[in-house]
């Protein structure tokens, strides 16, 4: 038998003038709040095997080890009876670039903060814990169901922002043009639906790969962006049947998958406004959220009893040293002795992307690239 519960709590850590996380630019700071930010928790408790897990999705740029450490510490001190540990607490972020920075223990991610900001960290940790406690309190007998669906090619929901790089992949036999970049992405959405024993919808969480970056690096208000709007639309609709329903729009493998349709070179720092009806960045964000909401609703309504996942829940955790992995020969030109090395951030990463907004100015990128080559030669 499964017990299932959902919970939602506020994590709007607003502090005027503090930087936002995602674009990494000094001028991208908080000057207001467009939408609240939330943590949404989904508890799944296997009563027979005495196993349970909680899946949490936050309207943040990303999760840091500091957040998970803080959440686990608070749960261990005040709510140890719940039994949450590293392996059965899954934290994720929907990747909006218009959420606060200042909550990491790593300096790089606080650089436009400036620095670590305790009140922002505490607000987020407390909100995540509150969402878990609300989900625990709301637990009832129920089940989980799984469904998938794909966006048709004509729906402008996601685009490959590095089509030239995509075409260099050896498995790409037919090269795609810039106009076909919407085909060079994973257009499938997966949705997990939670219902009670009578079939009442309690909540859902879906995963779809698209950057949460309709809002540019000149937008200076906290906002959950396209996935946040999608979650609001879904909750507003289904809460007519269940006022406590919660929907989370989580992230897939969104590396070079942009929500932006078009580059607008006339606007400083801004890229990719929709034309015509959706000529405003905020309206573009809502439009993309509408598309994701409609697909999630379609999948949810298509799920039937046959899509139920059973009553067994388990969880696991594994740490891997990515700096010392044997590389398979097919990825190493046939070599059998190739190993991965220490991680690094490339200059291209710092320069940003045309579609989602540039970062480091090109002139600085030129000198940084030269410096990187020097360091590489020195290491050799």
């Amino acid at each position: 038998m499964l017990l299932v519960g959902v919970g939602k709590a506020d994590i709007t850590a607003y502090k005027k003038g503090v930087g936002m996380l995602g674009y990494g630019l000094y001028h991208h700071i908080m000057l207001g709040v467009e939408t609240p930010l939330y943590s949404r928790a989904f508890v799944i408790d296997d009563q027979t095997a005495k196993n349970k897990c909680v899946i949490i999705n936050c309207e943040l740029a990303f999760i840091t080890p500091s957040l998970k450490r803080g959440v686990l510490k608070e749960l261990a001190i005040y709510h140890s009876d719940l039994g949450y540990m590293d392996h059965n607490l899954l934290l994720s972020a929907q990747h909006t670039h218009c959420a606060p920075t200042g909550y990491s223990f790593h300096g790089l991610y606080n650089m436009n903060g400036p620095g670590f900001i305790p009140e922002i960290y505490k607000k987020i940790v407390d909100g995540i814990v509150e969402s878990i406690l609300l989900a625990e309190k709301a637990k009832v007998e129920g089940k989980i169901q799984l469904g998938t669906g794909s966006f048709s090619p004509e729906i402008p929901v996601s685009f490959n922002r590095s089509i030239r790089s995509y075409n260099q992949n050896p498995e790409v036999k037919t090269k795609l043009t810039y106009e076909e970049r919407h085909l060079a992405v994973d257009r499938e959405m997966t949705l997990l639906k939670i219902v009670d024993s009578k079939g009442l919808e309690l909540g859902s969480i879906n995963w779809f790969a698209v950057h949460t970056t309709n809002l540019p690096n000149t937008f200076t208000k906290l906002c959950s962006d396209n996935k946040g709007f999608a979650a609001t639309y879904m909750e507003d609709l289904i809460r007519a049947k269940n006022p406590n329903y919660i929907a989370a729009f989580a992230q897939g493998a969104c590396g070079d998958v942009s929500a932006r349709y078009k580059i607008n070179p006339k606007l400083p720092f801004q890229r990719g406004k929709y034309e015509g009806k959706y000529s405003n960045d905020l309206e573009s964000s809502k439009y993309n959220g509408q598309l994701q909401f409609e697909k999630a609703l379609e999948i949810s309504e298509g799920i039937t009893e046959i899509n139920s996942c059973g009553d067994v829940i388990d969880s696991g955790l594994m740490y891997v040293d990515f700096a010392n992995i044997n590389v398979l020969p097919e990825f190493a030109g046939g070599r059998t002795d190739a190993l991965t090395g220490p991680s690094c951030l490339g200059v291209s990463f710092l320069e940003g992307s045309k579609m989602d907004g540039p970062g480091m100015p090109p002139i600085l990128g030129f000198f940084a690239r030269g410096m990187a080559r020097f360091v590489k030669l020195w290491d050799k």
Side-chain angles (χ1 to χ4, degrees):
M1 180 185 73
L2 290 182
L3 292 181
V4 292
V6 299
K8 174 181 174 182
D10 187 274
I11 55 169
T12 312
Y14 174 72
K15 187 173 183 181
K16 187 175 181 180
V18 168
M20 289 192 272
L21 185 55
Y23 293 115
L25 296 173
Y26 69 92
H27 59 76
H28 193 220
I29 59 176
M30 293 187 273
L31 296 177
V33 177
E34 181 66 38
T35 68
L37 305 178
Y38 293 106
S39 168
R40 293 174 173 88
F42 304 82
V43 171
I44 306 170
D45 193 343
D46 181 350
Q47 291 283 285
T48 303
K50 302 300 180 183
N51 289 327
K52 72 173 174 180
C53 66
V54 59
I55 303 170
I56 304 140
N57 187 248
C58 299
E59 291 177 335
L60 297 170
F62 48 76
I63 299 301
T64 61
S66 61
L67 285 183
K68 190 169 188 183
R69 188 186 306 179
V71 170
L72 287 172
K73 181 178 179 180
E74 194 164 321
L75 289 172
I77 293 173
Y78 302 108
H79 309 284
S80 59
D81 57 307
L82 297 179
Y84 285 114
M85 292 174 283
D86 211 4
H87 72 278
N88 64 350
L89 186 145
L90 191 155
L91 272 174
S92 64
Q94 48 91 299
H95 199 49
T96 175
H97 283 35
C98 289
T101 187
Y103 57 86
S104 175
F105 292 163
H106 300 287
L108 175 70
Y109 305 115
N110 298 327
M111 62 183 181
N112 70 321
F116 180 80
I117 301 168
E119 51 264 55
I120 286 179
Y121 176 77
K122 188 176 188 307
K123 174 68 175 179
I124 296 172
V125 168
D126 288 350
I128 293 171
V129 171
E130 183 184 353
S131 69
I132 297 171
L133 298 180
L134 289 171
E136 283 282 346
K137 187 177 179 181
K139 284 194 303 188
V140 294
E141 288 188 23
K143 53 193 170 184
I144 55 176
Q145 301 170 323
L146 197 67
T148 60
S150 294
F151 287 93
S152 57
E154 70 275 7
I155 295 178
V157 67
S158 60
F159 306 86
N160 192 304
R161 68 184 186 189
S162 299
I163 192 66
R164 289 177 60 189
S165 298
Y166 172 85
N167 283 332
Q168 293 178 31
N169 287 306
E171 60 267 34
V172 177
K173 304 304 180 185
T174 304
K175 308 303 182 186
L176 297 178
T177 66
Y178 179 79
E179 288 70 28
E180 296 173 313
R181 66 195 186 282
H182 61 291
L183 302 177
V185 295
D186 180 3
R187 299 180 67 83
E188 184 175 81
M189 177 184 285
T190 299
L191 184 138
L192 184 73
K193 184 177 179 179
I194 299 176
V195 299
D196 69 11
S197 57
K198 297 179 181 179
L200 178 68
E201 295 177 73
L202 303 178
S204 68
I205 178 170
N206 70 74
W207 295 267
F208 176 67
V210 64
H211 254 81
T212 320
T213 52
N214 277 115
L215 300 175
N217 54 34
T218 51
F219 194 86
T220 54
K221 293 182 179 180
L222 286 183
C223 186
S224 53
D225 210 327
N226 55 54
K227 287 185 177 291
F229 287 120
T232 299
Y233 299 152
M234 190 95 165
E235 289 174 350
D236 286 349
L237 179 72
I238 299 181
R239 281 182 174 182
K241 294 181 287 185
N242 175 11
N244 298 313
Y245 176 87
I246 291 170
F249 282 68
Q251 193 56 265
C254 68
D256 265 322
V257 186
S258 176
R260 292 180 165 273
Y261 174 70
K262 186 176 180 291
I263 296 173
N264 187 345
K266 296 179 181 179
L267 296 168
F269 304 112
Q270 299 188 52
R271 297 293 185 271
K273 285 190 175 183
Y274 281 87
E275 293 181 296
K277 181 180 178 182
Y278 305 105
S279 59
N280 175 277
D281 285 318
L282 191 58
E283 290 305 310
S284 296
S285 178
K286 293 177 180 179
Y287 173 62
N288 190 279
Q290 179 74 23
L291 296 176
Q292 293 187 59
F293 151 65
E294 289 172 356
K295 178 55 63 176
L297 184 63
E298 175 190 307
I299 298 170
S300 180
E301 291 179 340
I303 289 176
T304 62
E305 193 65 34
I306 197 172
N307 302 109
S308 295
C309 299
D311 296 332
V312 179
I313 287 295
D314 205 352
S315 56
L317 176 69
M318 179 172 65
Y319 288 98
V320 177
D321 180 3
F322 278 88
N324 188 30
I325 298 175
N326 288 306
V327 181
L328 296 174
E330 56 262 42
F331 301 113
R335 289 181 54 178
T336 58
D337 60 344
L339 293 172
T340 57
S343 61
C344 66
L345 295 176
V347 177
S348 294
F349 169 81
L350 297 174
E351 288 177 326
S353 74
K354 277 189 173 183
M355 294 302 295
D356 289 335
M360 177 188 289
I363 187 65
L364 290 181
F366 174 80
F367 287 109
R369 193 166 275 106
M371 187 181 298
R373 292 193 183 106
F374 175 78
V375 171
K376 185 177 179 181
L377 287 171
W378 182 268
D379 286 345
K380 283 187 177 181

